[in-house]
Structure formats: structure tokens, C-alpha cells
Amino acid sequence: MQPRSESGPPIATRPSLSTLSLGELRELILSRGLPEYRYRQLARWLYDKGAESFDEMTDFSLELRRELEREYALERLEVASRRDSAVDGSSKYLFRLADGAAVESVFMPTEKRVTLCISSQMGCTLDCVFCQTGQMGFYRNLEPHEIVGQLIPLWKRVRGTGTRTNVVFMGMGEPLHNVRGVVAACRLIMDPLGLGLGPKRITVSTAGVVPGIRRLARSGLGVRLAVSLNASTQEARERLMPRAAKTDLRELVGAAREYARRFQSRVTMEYVLMQGVNDSPRDADRLAALLAGGPFKINLIPYNPGASPELRRPSREQVDRFAQRLFPQAPAVTVRWSLGPDIAAACGQLHVEAADPPRTRRTASPRERGGS
Ligand code: SF4
């Protein structure tokens, strides 16, 4: 039996407001003969304020709330679970989607800012050796409302606190295999009637999908780009990221350079450091040479255990030595010790447990791999 609200038809038969674009939301309001400011109020309730029921929309008359409720549903992603870290204040959310799919997102507070890490796909086609998401296989791309929907409960924790907040597409999936969904979600996140975040507060991280980098550039959004590089030679990249490495390393670096030029902002090159795999002085020298003089920042991420028993995280001393070796040749180097390792929320650790079964398991269609 379908759920039913007191004042309307079964909820499942009503279109959900959260699946509408802002343009469609505006049209909905104007077509009812309501003034335009009602559209702005409704958008704010949906996104910035994250209302969970029409009753919360107290600047609407009771009559208007009932009218909207009769015709539309106000569905939110279901938070199936939330785990809070005992060591660093981060939280991992498991969201259940309408078709039974599930994805994870992470809330990461630091002294100066909060970072909200969201997913763009359930699973991933790329199967990088250091990442547990890749081991799940690929299920499907997320729709824009499923991407933005992850942010709603996380945003409520920072809204109104004045905390600098960034959104990163570094959760489950390869964002540039879902360009259509990611670009639409970014537009909503950036819109003043959405979450109102500027493009420099949003980072899209790719394992190296060059056509996707170019499409993201053509979208004109100007969000920050990060490239998960992890190797200083084509051969090493083929071992660590066999599917992503189908693109030649130099072509990838060239595409990142073009993107940086176009938006006049540095591209972050992420490098997961794995002991005895890619952390030698030679690796550091080759990495510096590969990126020499480019508009890049190198972000070293010590490996977080889980994906493979054969991989090890280097010690702090080894990480420091690698960074020091890079430093004179590549001055913009940072080390990111991931938050949330005690709740399996750190970089490379996101995956949906077997207890949360997806409906199907398949590989991406060419259309999904290419975005829209
Ligand atoms: S690192 Fe990113 S691209 Fe690689 S398998 Fe994991 S989610 Fe996919």
C-alpha cells in the first residue's frame, strides 16, 4: 500500500518538488498566478533551509501550504545511518535512495572550515587498486537531486554559523562519468536560491577523464578541479589505476593545464602515497618533473587501509621525506591526513556494505560513461 498524507493522494503519485530545477520551480509558482517572491521563498525552504515538511514553510499561508501538499511531495533522501568519529569530529552518512540504491557522504570539520564530501555515482567503473568504492562495481549515476539531496542534512549543521564551507565531489564514483548530473548539481549549489556557494568553494575530483574535463570547462562553471594522479609514469599509473590510465598521462596533464589556464586557478594533483609502491625519491623527482612549472598544487594523501591487504600507509617520516624531496622543485605541496579513518570515512574507504544491497550490478553504458 502506498503512503498517503492526510490531505492528498498517495505520496508516490505526486511529483516531488526536490526533483524540479529552479526554472521549473519558478514556472510552477507563476503558473498558479502567485507572485515571483513566492518562488524565491519556496526555493529557500527547499535548499538553504532544508524544510522536511510543508508545515515548516511558515511564511506561506496555511491554505497555500495545503494546496502545495495536495499536488506535490516534499521528499528527502533517507538518512539510513550516521556514524560520528570519536577522534576528529567527522561524520559519515549513508543515504538510501528511492530505488533502494545507497550512497555515502562525509561531513569533515577542521579548525578553519567544514568540507562536505558527496558522491556522484553508486559504485564506480574505474576500480583503482587503493579504493574500496571501485571494488563495489558500478550500479548507476546519481540524478542532480540525489547529489544535492546529500548536502541538505549536512548543510543544516553549518548554515548560519558563518563557517567557511566547501563541497568536494570526492565521495563514491567518478564525477566526470556523470557530467550531466554533476554540472546540474553544481548549478544548484552555486545559485543564490540554492546553497549560494561560489565556484571556488566547489571541487570536482576526477581520476583523469579527459573528455569530461573538457566538458566541465565548456560548462563555464569555473569550479575547482582536482586530478587523482597517484603515479609519475604511465606504466605506474596503469598498475594503480588500470582503467583510468587508458588516457595517456601527458594528455591528462595537458588537459588539466588547459583547465587551469581557462579559469585562472591552480589544479590540485592528488597523489595517494603507498609505501614501497610510489613513495621513493625517484618517484618524487619524476612527479616534480612531470608537473614542473605548471599551474598545479600537489596534495599528498597517505594511503588509508582497506582496499588491499598488500598496500601499506607510509610512516609520517616517510611522508615528510617525500614532501621535502618535492618541495624545492614543486613549491605548492600539502599533505592531507584524511579525517574519519575510525568510521571508514577516509579517502578511498567509502563503500556500501553488503547489508545494503543494490538492485542491480552492471557496467556503465557508453552514455553513462560519457556523461549526458
Ligand atoms: S578512486 Fe575514484 S575513480 Fe578510482 S575507483 Fe575510487 S571512486 Fe572510482
Side-chain angles (χ1 to χ4, degrees):
M1 194 171 151
Q2 288 178 325
R4 189 175 279 276
S5 85
E6 282 179 11
S7 56
I11 286 168
T13 64
R14 287 181 274 173
S16 174
L17 286 183
S18 57
T19 62
L20 302 183
S21 68
L22 286 175
E24 289 167 332
L25 208 58
R26 181 172 175 275
E27 191 51 39
L28 177 161
I29 290 292
L30 297 185
S31 67
R32 309 178 79 86
L34 293 168
E36 179 146 9
Y37 74 87
R38 290 292 190 203
Y39 150 63
R40 291 193 289 275
Q41 286 175 320
L42 185 57
R44 283 197 195 98
W45 281 115
L46 282 180
Y47 296 104
D48 183 39
K49 297 183 189 171
E52 286 169 27
S53 75
F54 289 99
D55 284 334
E56 287 178 50
M57 302 179 184
T58 46
D59 47 10
F60 286 179
S61 68
L62 191 57
E63 191 191 350
L64 178 55
R65 280 183 254 160
R66 290 291 161 262
E67 200 179 308
L68 288 172
E69 192 180 14
R70 263 195 303 277
E71 292 175 43
Y72 298 96
L74 181 49
E75 290 171 337
R76 296 298 189 190
L77 299 192
E78 178 197 339
V79 180
S81 70
R82 170 180 156 178
R83 292 177 68 194
D84 295 327
S85 166
V87 294
D88 56 31
S90 61
S91 309
K92 181 168 77 166
Y93 290 73
L94 173 68
F95 289 99
R96 175 85 49 204
L97 310 181
D99 65 351
V103 289
E104 293 185 324
S105 320
V106 188
F107 178 95
M108 297 180 285
T110 57
E111 219 172 283
K112 294 193 182 143
R113 70 180 69 88
V114 165
T115 302
L116 310 178
C117 175
I118 54 175
S119 297
S120 54
Q121 299 184 305
M122 181 175 177
C124 185
T125 57
L126 291 182
D127 204 12
C128 306
V129 300
F130 48 82
C131 173
Q132 293 190 60
T133 302
Q135 295 174 352
M136 289 170 49
F138 173 74
Y139 297 88
R140 70 172 174 87
N141 281 339
L142 302 191
E143 293 296 323
H145 74 275
E146 293 171 325
I147 298 174
V148 177
Q150 297 164 59
L151 287 171
I152 301 298
L154 282 67
W155 181 253
K156 278 186 177 175
R157 292 175 62 178
V158 286
R159 179 179 179 269
T161 62
T163 313
R164 188 178 172 81
T165 304
N166 296 329
V167 170
V168 297
F169 285 81
M170 296 184 184
M172 292 166 57
E174 163 53 60
L176 297 186
H177 278 172
N178 182 11
V179 180
R180 180 189 62 83
V182 167
V183 167
C186 286
R187 289 198 198 288
L188 203 39
I189 295 166
M190 288 164 59
D191 197 293
L193 292 177
L195 299 185
L197 290 182
K200 302 294 181 234
R201 313 248 311 261
I202 302 171
T203 301
V204 172
S205 174
T206 178
V209 181
V210 166
I213 293 174
R214 298 200 172 120
R215 285 186 59 195
L216 185 66
R218 282 199 300 275
S219 75
L221 290 175
V223 295
R224 289 193 187 279
L225 178 71
V227 174
S228 186
L229 200 66
N230 310 311
S232 55
T233 64
Q234 177 66 19
E235 298 67 39
R237 207 167 128 84
E238 280 167 14
R239 277 197 306 279
L240 298 173
M241 310 173 75
R243 296 195 179 152
K246 292 205 164 80
T247 300
D248 182 74
L249 184 53
R250 293 197 178 269
E251 189 190 343
L252 171 59
V253 173
R257 198 184 295 270
E258 274 170 39
Y259 189 94
R261 274 206 203 106
R262 172 155 184 179
F263 296 105
Q264 309 210 326
S265 71
R266 281 191 296 197
V267 169
T268 301
M269 292 293 183
E270 295 165 335
Y271 193 95
V272 175
L273 266 177
M274 293 164 265
Q275 192 179 63
V277 174
N278 63 354
D279 65 342
S280 71
R282 253 189 105 207
D283 287 310
D285 293 344
R286 277 193 305 237
L287 181 61
L290 179 69
L291 304 178
F296 305 123
K297 186 177 104 175
I298 301 173
N299 195 12
L300 303 175
I301 307 168
Y303 169 71
N304 295 299
S308 165
E310 286 157 28
L311 296 176
R312 301 254 177 286
R313 166 186 278 204
S315 66
R316 270 184 192 269
E317 295 68 36
Q318 287 169 318
V319 173
D320 285 349
R321 262 204 302 280
F322 192 88
Q324 289 304 328
R325 181 91 183 186
L326 275 177
F327 183 69
Q329 315 173 67
V333 180
T334 52
V335 178
R336 185 169 92 218
W337 294 93
S338 304
L339 299 187
D342 60 323
I343 52 171
C347 192
Q349 293 184 324
L350 298 188
H351 68 289
V352 177
E353 304 284 350
D356 311 303
R359 290 202 168 153
T360 56
R361 181 186 170 99
R362 60 189 176 83
T363 53
S365 68
R367 182 180 161 84
E368 284 167 325
R369 283 196 299 273
S372 62

